[in-house]
Amino acid sequence: MNNDFLVFDHVTKRFGALTAVSDVSLSVNKGEFFSLLGPSGCGKTTLLRMLGGFERPDSGRIYLEGKDITDLPPNQRRVHTVFQNYALFPTMTVWDNIAFSLRLAKMPKEEVEERVSAMLEMIQLSDQAWKYPSQLSGGQKQRVAIARALVDRPQVLLLDEPLAALDLKLRQHMLLELDTIHDQVGITFLYVTHDQGEAMSLSDRIAVINRGCVEQLAGPAQIYEAPASRFVASFIGDTNFFHGEIVTVDGDYCFIQIEGFPQIKAYNDKKLSVGQEVDLSVRPEKIRVTLTPPPPEKGASINVFPSKVKDIVYQGVYTKYWLVSSGLQIQSLKPHSRFLLDQEPITWNDEVFVWWHPDDGFMVEVAK
Amino acid sequence: MNDNPLRTRKAEWLVTAPSFVWLAVFFAVPAVIVLAFTFHGHDASGGVGDWSLSTWRELVDPDYPAIVWNTIRISFEVTLWSILLAVPCAYAIARMNKRWRTVVAGSIMLPFWTSFVVRVFAWKTMLHPDGWLQACYITFLRVREWLFGWLPAALQQALVWAGLASEGRVDVATSTILDSESAVVLVSVYTFLPFAIMPLYTAAEKFDFSLLEAARDLGAKNFYAFRKIFLPGIRQGLVSAVLMVFIPAIGSYVIPQMLGGTECVLIGNKIFMRAIQNRNIPHASALATLMAVSVLIPIGIAVWWKKRQDARGRKRLEEQTARLVMTGGGRAG
């Protein structure tokens, strides 16, 4: 695989006093589904616009297949964008919208027809070809926008929050469709989103961006299970943070002391030493809540803390518990397997036990 | 939908009635009166005489076809130049930030604070033979002669119709811009330009400029995107702007009266002359009717032709869709 297919090399972009993108270096593989994930205003769209040619970086270069494209205007880059609002041409039919780039390239008529029909078939809109964008539903517009950007086989397809304007059901459907299209065309997709769910389910790799910097670049599982920073841990999914100091190191494990709280055992994968301040992140679904203490076969080494149920939110697939233990708030998720037979029900103000395995906590170092 | 009281038939009539009454009183009735006058003679004291076809018979004046043609040609020129200037203006204003937009749009309306006749008088001064505009005009004539003088006669005539040249040989040494057709076109464009900019600006303001970005993204050059995406996008504004300029230009008489001299007499001047100076109201009415018909017939033909084209286009699209669905289905099966 070509590791230098698309490269951002120390790219910086400022808008007045605001630094939108700060010294970002990234490389995207050929054919990859790559996501830029971050909160709104983090600079991910600016990165995309610089790749599209709509903004010029203040410093740094952008390379595509070894060629420096930093200074090329948008119409000279074989990089197409699917815009958030689709930006379909309202005065043209679906057919003419899709054929736009081919006709610009002065492609022979028969080939245009062939390619556009093939695209229409792929997005399953052959019978809508002569409609105008205003006559289409949101999902159909979305598909036309994708077809229009893919029809002349660009080197990279940029998708700028393409699903943000769709409702939940349609969004889930389009996610699958995007995945299928990516598999079919084999073009590199660069996907910008603030929705971690979208990024996680589609991407080969994700760059988590915050305040113009890349916080972490890794696969979805790694980003979720081994977040590189407190920001990544809190942005991707819910989590419990325990802020404390390492007081004992015991082989691969260590003990963390939090004021007014029993010591927490955690896996010390970063080989931190005593005295180091850490943020321990424990995902809610990894924390169990039971009325009785955990069975002894779970081992004596797990973390068990008595606590009190403060709030319960039933959400169908799972129930969310808010608990208080020695003054600390802890949240836990419990999936439902068998309705009514899920042990005895836990209700408000019950005295319960909260427990998790030390391996399920992940430590994020705190810089001093 | 049906619970909405405004959607019922009766309420619809009630709501639209005032505008119908307005149109009837101030448009339909006067039009009928004007048409009726043409079938009357006139009496010596300037009143409207008995029913007669004499007015129409008098209208067979060898000058009139040329004047009608001139009026249409000049109005067309004025419309063309106004639109050519107004489209970039509207585009530029719509792309400005909100504060500048208000300032510029406001300053376009500023001349309306001065009387129209006063403004035309001001032009009379500016176009004086000793002025710098006269010098520009002479240069313009020389350049035009150099550009087009060698062309064959038929092509020269085509240029005349396109408004790029004036009829007959021009003696550069004695030409003045004042009292010429050029002055009429220039000042008419000046006068009607705001009426062209405003509807275009309104349309351009609603235009989604990210579409131009999308076109650039797909490989279009700036001008191509402007032509293929922006112009069709403001089509409604273009139609309004053309009508807003062409219609008043057809009826204009103050500008040719004050700046056109003897060279540029338009139908408006003739109507004015017949109605006010000769006090022959039926004759003036007949001229107005003649002018209206001369404009409405080509427009009617154009609308009919456009409708026929649209219907044909729709039919072709339907056939193509049917074919596409069939082949698509065949492939799937």
Side-chain angles (χ1 to χ4, degrees):
Chain A
M1 205 174 257
N2 184 356
N3 276 322
D4 303 323
F5 178 69
L6 169 63
V7 178
F8 286 90
D9 184 19
H10 297 284
V11 171
T12 298
K13 175 75 189 175
R14 290 180 205 89
F15 295 107
L18 176 89
T19 304
V21 172
S22 159
D23 196 31
V24 165
S25 294
L26 275 180
S27 56
V28 177
N29 300 332
K30 190 168 185 170
E32 193 173 29
F33 200 122
F34 192 95
S35 288
L36 299 172
L37 174 64
S40 50
C42 72
K44 57 192 192 300
T45 299
T46 307
L47 270 173
L48 199 74
R49 287 178 60 82
M50 285 193 285
L51 184 53
F54 300 111
E55 306 284 356
R56 280 191 54 189
D58 293 319
S59 64
R61 313 301 295 172
I62 302 168
Y63 300 95
L64 184 57
E65 276 191 310
K67 208 180 121 200
D68 186 347
I69 60 162
T70 320
D71 300 322
L72 286 182
N75 54 331
Q76 286 174 32
R77 304 176 180 212
R78 306 220 334 102
V79 168
H80 295 336
T81 310
V82 175
F83 293 88
Q84 192 172 352
N85 63 352
Y86 318 134
L88 296 179
F89 306 130
T91 51
M92 294 184 189
T93 58
V94 168
W95 179 282
D96 291 338
N97 261 286
I98 297 176
F100 188 83
S101 59
L102 302 181
R103 286 180 183 153
L104 255 171
K106 303 221 160 42
M107 191 174 278
K109 217 179 150 200
E110 300 77 42
E111 208 182 331
V112 171
E113 263 187 35
E114 199 178 298
R115 284 232 209 158
V116 175
S117 324
M119 270 293 152
L120 281 167
E121 213 169 299
M122 187 183 84
I123 60 168
Q124 293 159 28
L125 284 180
S126 297
D127 51 340
Q128 316 278 322
W130 309 103
K131 284 197 177 167
Y132 285 90
S134 57
Q135 296 165 289
L136 301 179
S137 70
Q140 290 172 331
K141 282 185 201 168
Q142 174 69 78
R143 299 212 288 263
V144 174
I146 292 169
R148 183 179 70 175
L150 279 176
V151 72
D152 75 335
R153 294 167 200 157
Q155 291 167 293
V156 186
L157 182 73
L158 311 181
L159 300 112
D160 185 9
E161 308 245 2
L163 307 183
L166 304 176
D167 59 57
L168 183 67
K169 268 266 175 276
L170 201 52
R171 199 152 62 218
Q172 287 168 345
H173 177 74
M174 282 307 296
L175 269 180
L176 290 176
E177 217 155 291
L178 264 178
D179 205 19
T180 315
I181 290 172
H182 177 247
D183 290 346
Q184 275 179 23
V185 296
I187 287 170
T188 311
F189 278 36
L190 196 68
Y191 190 93
V192 159
T193 183
H194 67 269
D195 185 315
Q196 35 132 341
E198 287 174 18
M200 298 279 256
S201 44
L202 289 170
S203 317
D204 297 317
R205 287 193 303 157
I206 301 173
V208 183
I209 302 192
N210 185 34
R211 293 186 193 163
C213 301
V214 177
E215 293 257 340
Q216 188 171 10
L217 201 171
Q222 202 185 346
I223 279 183
Y224 188 76
E225 302 292 348
S229 66
R230 196 186 157 99
F231 170 80
V232 175
S234 61
F235 187 70
I236 316 292
D238 276 333
T239 194
N240 294 289
F241 278 121
F242 300 94
H243 180 84
E245 195 186 318
I246 297 175
V247 285
T248 323
V249 175
D250 173 17
D252 286 342
Y253 293 88
C254 65
F255 289 90
I256 299 163
Q257 179 67 59
I258 301 165
E259 232 183 86
F261 198 79
Q263 287 188 2
I264 301 174
K265 191 177 178 185
Y267 180 59
N268 189 4
D269 76 317
K270 291 200 176 76
K271 304 273 175 252
L272 301 178
S273 49
V274 175
Q276 184 85 42
E277 256 185 76
V278 292
D279 278 318
L280 179 71
S281 153
V282 186
R283 299 285 184 190
E285 73 275 10
K286 296 195 169 126
I287 297 180
R288 310 291 162 82
V289 180
T290 49
L291 287 165
T292 51
E297 68 265 23
K298 292 279 181 191
S301 60
I302 62 171
N303 293 299
V304 185
F305 305 108
S307 32
K308 196 171 175 183
V309 179
K310 222 181 124 201
D311 210 350
I312 303 173
V313 180
Y314 177 77
Q315 291 183 323
V317 183
Y318 49 78
T319 299
K320 191 167 206 171
Y321 296 95
W322 295 89
L323 311 131
V324 177
S325 179
S326 312
L328 278 185
Q329 255 208 17
I330 299 173
Q331 38 171 327
S332 162
L333 276 185
K334 183 177 169 187
H336 301 292
S337 44
R338 296 182 65 191
F339 180 55
L340 294 180
L341 291 174
D342 275 9
Q343 304 142 353
E344 62 244 74
I346 297 169
T347 60
W348 277 263
N349 293 322
D350 273 357
E351 299 289 341
V352 292
F353 292 92
V354 164
W355 45 281
W356 71 87
H357 194 275
D359 289 352
D360 287 335
F362 188 81
M363 287 198 293
V364 180
E365 197 174 349
V366 175
K368 277 193 184 163
Chain B
M1 274 288 206
N2 279 332
D3 341 319
N4 187 344
L6 286 179
R7 295 293 301 179
T8 62
R9 267 245 165 269
K10 210 171 166 188
E12 217 169 85
W13 275 107
L14 220 69
V15 170
T16 46
S19 38
F20 274 121
V21 171
W22 176 273
L23 274 176
V25 171
F26 294 103
F27 178 73
V29 173
V32 171
I33 291 174
V34 166
L35 189 65
F37 277 169
T38 65
F39 295 100
H40 286 267
H42 73 107
D43 58 26
S45 59
V48 177
D50 294 327
W51 288 96
S52 130
L53 284 176
S54 61
T55 304
W56 281 109
R57 258 181 257 125
E58 281 165 31
L59 212 62
V60 189
D61 180 321
D63 283 351
Y64 285 159
I67 291 175
V68 167
W69 170 243
N70 246 359
T71 308
I72 292 176
R73 185 175 55 80
I74 288 176
S75 303
F76 180 76
E77 272 173 43
V78 170
T79 311
L80 184 76
W81 289 117
S82 299
I83 298 294
L84 281 181
L85 289 171
V87 168
C89 276
Y91 177 87
I93 300 171
R95 297 228 78 168
M96 285 173 187
N97 66 38
K98 214 160 177 112
R99 224 185 72 208
W100 274 106
R101 228 188 275 175
T102 325
V103 171
V104 176
S107 51
I108 286 170
M109 305 311 285
L110 207 61
F112 290 103
W113 291 87
T114 320
S115 150
F116 166 59
V117 178
V118 170
R119 278 183 284 140
V120 180
F121 258 113
W123 272 104
K124 219 174 155 84
T125 317
M126 288 204 289
L127 296 173
H128 190 273
D130 292 335
W132 62 275
L133 279 169
Q134 170 71 19
C136 295
Y137 179 63
I138 297 297
T139 317
F140 164 72
L141 287 181
R142 289 232 165 85
V143 169
R144 198 176 62 183
E145 202 174 31
W146 177 76
L147 275 177
F148 303 125
W150 54 275
L151 289 173
L155 266 176
Q156 293 229 12
Q157 191 57 44
L159 286 174
V160 169
W161 286 339
L164 285 165
S166 50
E167 224 138 357
R169 294 294 301 172
V170 178
D171 183 2
V172 173
T174 60
S175 289
T176 60
I177 185 164
L178 195 62
D179 297 335
S180 76
E181 191 184 302
S182 304
V184 174
V185 172
L186 176 69
V187 177
S188 296
V189 169
Y190 155 80
T191 306
F192 298 129
L193 195 57
F195 297 102
I197 292 177
M198 277 306 150
L200 285 171
Y201 162 60
T202 313
E205 204 187 18
K206 287 193 214 109
F207 181 78
D208 176 7
F209 283 98
S210 69
L211 294 177
L212 295 184
E213 222 167 59
R216 299 252 299 144
D217 184 73
L218 291 165
K221 291 202 175 79
N222 274 329
F223 186 64
Y224 186 91
F226 180 84
R227 212 156 42 88
K228 291 280 180 176
I229 308 296
F230 181 70
L231 287 186
I234 58 160
R235 201 174 32 194
Q236 292 302 326
L238 276 171
V239 172
S240 313
V242 166
L243 294 178
M244 290 289 274
V245 176
F246 190 74
I247 292 172
I250 282 278
S252 106
Y253 64 95
V254 173
I255 297 169
Q257 180 80 38
M258 289 168 71
L259 302 169
T262 50
E263 193 189 298
C264 188
V265 176
L266 302 188
I267 198 78
N269 302 104
K270 280 288 176 200
I271 295 172
F272 174 80
M273 213 187 283
R274 297 287 175 253
I276 308 296
Q277 289 169 356
N278 305 359
R279 296 195 57 73
N280 188 342
I281 300 291
H283 196 109
S285 303
L287 277 178
T289 309
L290 180 72
M291 193 63 231
V293 170
S294 328
V295 173
L296 287 178
I297 284 175
I299 289 179
I301 291 173
V303 168
W304 170 79
W305 190 74
K306 173 92 171 66
K307 269 199 176 152
R308 207 182 65 149
Q309 288 297 103
D310 282 356
R312 281 186 175 183
R314 217 172 14 247
K315 208 174 150 202
R316 205 182 59 232
L317 291 189
E318 271 162 19
E319 281 168 11
Q320 258 169 310
T321 313
R323 208 182 62 217
L324 200 77
V325 171
M326 253 163 60
T327 54
R331 240 173 280 169

